C-alpha cells in the first residue's frame, strides 16, 4: 500500500519558497507552458536534472501538424482517431489537430528551426499518417532543436526562475487544494517546500518502468505517482506504447531508430533477411506502431532471436544526410546503415495514460494542472499516433495558461503563508534492499510479465511480486532521489499491472493473449484510479 507522502515532514520547520506558478519539468510541455504564463506572474521551473534532460531532448522523428493545402486538421484528426483504436476522446483530438498549427507557428516564432527545402518546410511521412505532415529539425534531432530554442527563451526571461537538480517528491494538498510541492534540493541536500497559487505538472512519462526502453533515466513517472498519492485521478495506465525499432546492441542503452526511417522506405527483415510485415498488416512497415511492435516480437520468438533487421540500404535519400544522428550512433557501433542491416527490437517508449485532465489541463484537484506525457488528455486513446506527443505538450500547455488567466481571482485569494501540513508515519531507519538492484528487477519483471504480450497468469505473478517489494520499500525511511524514484516506479507498476489485468480485451497497445479481440461491448470504457 503506497503511503500518502513518501517522507515524514512538518511544513512549519521546512524552508519555504513562494511563486505565482510552479512548473514541474523542463521538456517541451514545461518550457512552453512557462513562456505562456510569464505575463501572468512569476514562474518557477523545477527540474530534477539539468534543464535540457528530458524525453523531449531525444525526440527524433518530428512533430505532426497539418500545414499546407494538401493536408487539413480534419485528416490529422482522422488518423489520430484511427490509430487510437476507437478509444480517443474525440473533442481532445479535435483540439489537438485544430490548435496544433497555431502552436507550431508560435514555436517557429520562438526560434525553432525546422528543416526546409527551397524555402518551404520539409515534411515526412510516418506510420498511420495519410499525409507527410511531420516537421523535423536537423534531420533527426527535432527534440534537441525544440529544447534549444525554448530553453534559450526561458533563460532570458526575468519572470521565469529555473531551478535545476530539484527533485519533486510530493504535492502538498489540503481539502482537495494543491498548494505546491515538497522537494529534495540536490544542490544543498535539503528537503524544502515550494508553494504557489497554481502547480503545473509537465513531468513526462514512465518509460523506465521497463528494462528495454528508449526513454532517458529521468522518465520514472514521478509526477503521475505523486499526483496520484495526492488524490489526483489517473487513468488508462495499461496503455504503454512499445516502439518497434530500438537499436539492438548488447550492453548499449536502447537508442531509437525513428519511425521516419520506415517512412522513408526502410524494410523490416527477419534474421534470414526475409521481409515479414506483409504477413501481419496490409500497410506493412507503415502499419500502426502496436501492430509493428507485436509483429517484430512474434518474429523474434519464432526465430528464437533477440532482434530483427531494419534494411535502410535502399531508401531514396542518403541515410547520413537524412538521419545524421542515427547514422553517427550506428557507425559508432560498427554498423553502417547505408550498407548494413540495422539490428532492432521493440522497447517501451510512451506512456499513453497518466494524470486525468480535462480539455484545459485541469485535474480533479484545485490548483493542480498537468500537460504533456504525464497526462491522459484522451488524445492518444489506446495507441499514440507517431509524432503527436510533442504537439500535445504545446497545445495543452497553452490551454493551461489560458484557463489560469480566467481563474486569477480565485488564485489570488489563496493564502499560502497560513498553510499547516505534516506527515508522521512510523518507518524503520534500516533498509534491507539495494534500490538500484531492485529497480532493475522491477524493470525486468515489467518487461517479462507486463510487456508487449500479456496474459492473466503473468500479470498475477507480477502483481504479487510488486506488492511484496512495496512492503519492503515502504516500511523503511526513503531518503534519496533513487529511493523516491523506486517508490514511484513501484506505485505505477502496481497501477499498470492491475489495469492490464482488469482489461480483459486487446486494444491498441494493450494486448492480452487470453483475450485477443477488441471488446467494445464491455470494454469501451476507461479504468480510472
Ligand atoms: C527517444 C525518443 C524519441 C521520441 N521521438 C518523438 C518524436 O519524434 N515526436 C514526438 O512527438 N514524440 C517523440 N517522443 C516522445 C516525446 O519526446 C515525449 O512524449 C515528449 O517530449 C514529452 O514531453 P514532456 O514535456 O511532457 O516531458 P519530458 O520531455 O519527458 O520532460 C519531463 C521533465 O520533467 C522532469 N521531471 C521528471 N520527474 C521530476 C521530478 N520528480 N522532479 C522534478 N522534475 C522532474 C524531467 O527531468 C524533465 O525535465 C520521443 C521520445 C523518446 C524517448
Amino acid at each position: 500500500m503506497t503511503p500518502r507522502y513518501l517522507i515524514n515532514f512538518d511544513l512549519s520547520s521546512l524552508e519555504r519558497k513562494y511563486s505565482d506558478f510552479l512548473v514541474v519539468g523542463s521538456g517541451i510541455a514545461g518550457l512552453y507552458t512557462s513562456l505562456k504564463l510569464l505575463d501572468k506572474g512569476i514562474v518557477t521551473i523545477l527540474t530534477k536534472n539539468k534543464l535540457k534532460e528530458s524525453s523531449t531532448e531525444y525526440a527524433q522523428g518530428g512533430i505532426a501538424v497539418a500545414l499546407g493545402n494538401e493536408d487539413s486538421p480534419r485528416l490529422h484528426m482522422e488518423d489520430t482517431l484511427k490509430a487510437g483504436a476507437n478509444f480517443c476522446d474525440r473533442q481532445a483530438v479535435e483540439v489537438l489537430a485544430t490548435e496544433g498549427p497555431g502552436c507550431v507557428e508560435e514555436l517557429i516564432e520562438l526560434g525553432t528551426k525546422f528543416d526546409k527545402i527551397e524555402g518551404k518546410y520539409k515534411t515526412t511521412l510516418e506510420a498511420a499518417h495519410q499525409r507527410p505532415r511531420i516537421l523535423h529539425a536537423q534531420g533527426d534531432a527535432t527534440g534537441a532543436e525544440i529544447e534549444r530554442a525554448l530553453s534559450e527563451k526561458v533563460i532570458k526571461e526575468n519572470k521565469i526562475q529555473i531551478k535545476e537538480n530539484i527533485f519533486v517528491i510530493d504535492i502538498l494538498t489540503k481539502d482537495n487544494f494543491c498548494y505546491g510541492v515538497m522537494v529534495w534540493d540536490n544542490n544543498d541536500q535539503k528537503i524544502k517546500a515550494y508553494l504557489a497559487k497554481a502547480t503545473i505538472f509537465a513531468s513526462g512519462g514512465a518509460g523506465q518502468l521497463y528494462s528495454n526502453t528508449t526513454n532517458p533515466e529521468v522518465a520514472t513517472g514521478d509526477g503521475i505517482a505523486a499526483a496520484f498519492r495526492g488524490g489526483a485521478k489517473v487513468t488508462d495506465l495499461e496503455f504503454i506504447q512499445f516502439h518497434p525499432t530500438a537499436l539492438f546492441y548488447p550492453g548499449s542503452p536502447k537508442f531509437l531508430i525513428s519511425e521516419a526511417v520506415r517512412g522513408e522506405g526502410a524494410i523490416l527483415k527477419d534474421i534470414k533477411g526475409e521481409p515479414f510485415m506483409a504477413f501481419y498488416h496490409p500497410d506493412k512497415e507503415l502499419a500502426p506502431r502496436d501492430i509493428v511492435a507485436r509483429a517484430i516480437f512474434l518474429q523474434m520468438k519464432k526465430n528464437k532471436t533477440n532482434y530483427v533487421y531494419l534494411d535502410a540500404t535502399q531508401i531514396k535519400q542518403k541515410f547520413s544526410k537524412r538521419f545524421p544522428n542515427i547514422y553517427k550512433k550506428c557507425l559508432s557501433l560498427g554498423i553502417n546503415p547505408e550498407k548494413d542491416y540495422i539490428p532492432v527490437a521493440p522497447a517501451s517508449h510512451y506512456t499513453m495514460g497518466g494524470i486525468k485532465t480535462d480539455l484545459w489541463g485541469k485535474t480533479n484537484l484545485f490548483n493542480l494542472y498537468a500537460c504533456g506525457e504525464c497526462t491522459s488528455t484522451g488524445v492518444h486513446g489506446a495507441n499514440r499516433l507517431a509524432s503527436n506527443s510533442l504537439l500535445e505538450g504545446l497545445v495543452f500547455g497553452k490551454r493551461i495558461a489560458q484557463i489560469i488567466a480566467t481563474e486569477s481571482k480565485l488564485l489570488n485569494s489563496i493564502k499560502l503563508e497560513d498553510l499547516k501540513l505534516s506527515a508522521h508515519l512510523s518507518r524503520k531507519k534500516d533498509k534491507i534492499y539495494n534500490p538500484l538492484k531492485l529497480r532493475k528487477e522491477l524493470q525486468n519483471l515489467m518487461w517479462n510479465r507486463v510487456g508487449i504480450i500479456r496474459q492473466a497468469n503473468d500479470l498475477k505473478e507480477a502483481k504479487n511480486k510488486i506488492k511484496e517489494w512495496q512492503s519492503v520499500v515502504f516500511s523503511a525511511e526513503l531518503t534519496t532521489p533513487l529511493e523516491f524514484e523506486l517508490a514511484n516506479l513501484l506505485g505505477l507498476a502496481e497501477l499498470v499491472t492491475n489495469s492490464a489485468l482488469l482489461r480483459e480485451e486487446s486494444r491498441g497497445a494493450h494486448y492480452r493473449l487470453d483475450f485477443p479481440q477488441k471488446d467494445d461491448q464491455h470494454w469501451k470504457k476507461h479504468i480510472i484510479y
Side-chain angles (χ1 to χ4, degrees), residues 98 107 162 218 231 252 286 292 404-405 408 488:
T98 54
L107 194 62
I162 299 164
V218 292
S252 182
L286 295 184
V292 183
I404 278 180
S408 59
N488 289 332

Side-chain angles (χ1 to χ4, degrees), residues 24-30 46-51 53-64 126 142 147 166-169 202-205 214-216 218-220 222-223 256 258 349-350 371-374 384 386-391 393 488:
V24 179
S26 52
I28 189 169
L46 303 175
T47 192
K48 69 175 169 180
N49 201 295
K50 291 267 168 244
L51 186 68
E53 190 54 17
S54 58
S55 288
T56 303
E57 175 71 10
Y58 301 97
Q60 295 178 347
I63 185 162
E126 282 187 350
T142 311
E147 276 288 313
I166 303 281
F167 189 103
V168 170
I169 306 171
S203 48
T214 62
N215 285 197
V218 292
T220 47
D222 302 334
L256 185 75
S258 167
H349 185 59
Y350 188 82
C371 55
E373 190 172 339
C374 67
R384 174 181 72 106
S387 290
N388 264 354
S389 41
L390 292 171
L391 192 67
N488 289 332

Side-chain angles (χ1 to χ4, degrees), residues 18-22 40-44 195-199 412 416:
Y18 298 94
S19 47
D20 293 313
F21 308 111
L22 280 179
K40 298 167 185 68
I42 300 291
V43 182
T44 302
L195 303 176
K197 292 175 196 155
T199 302
N412 285 333
L416 296 169

Side-chain angles (χ1 to χ4, degrees), residues 326-344:
I326 302 176
Y327 181 75
K328 235 179 16 207
K329 176 72 188 180
C330 288
L331 221 52
S332 75
L333 299 171
I335 304 156
N336 180 349
E338 289 176 355
K339 295 188 186 133
D340 307 322
Y341 293 172
I342 309 168
V344 292

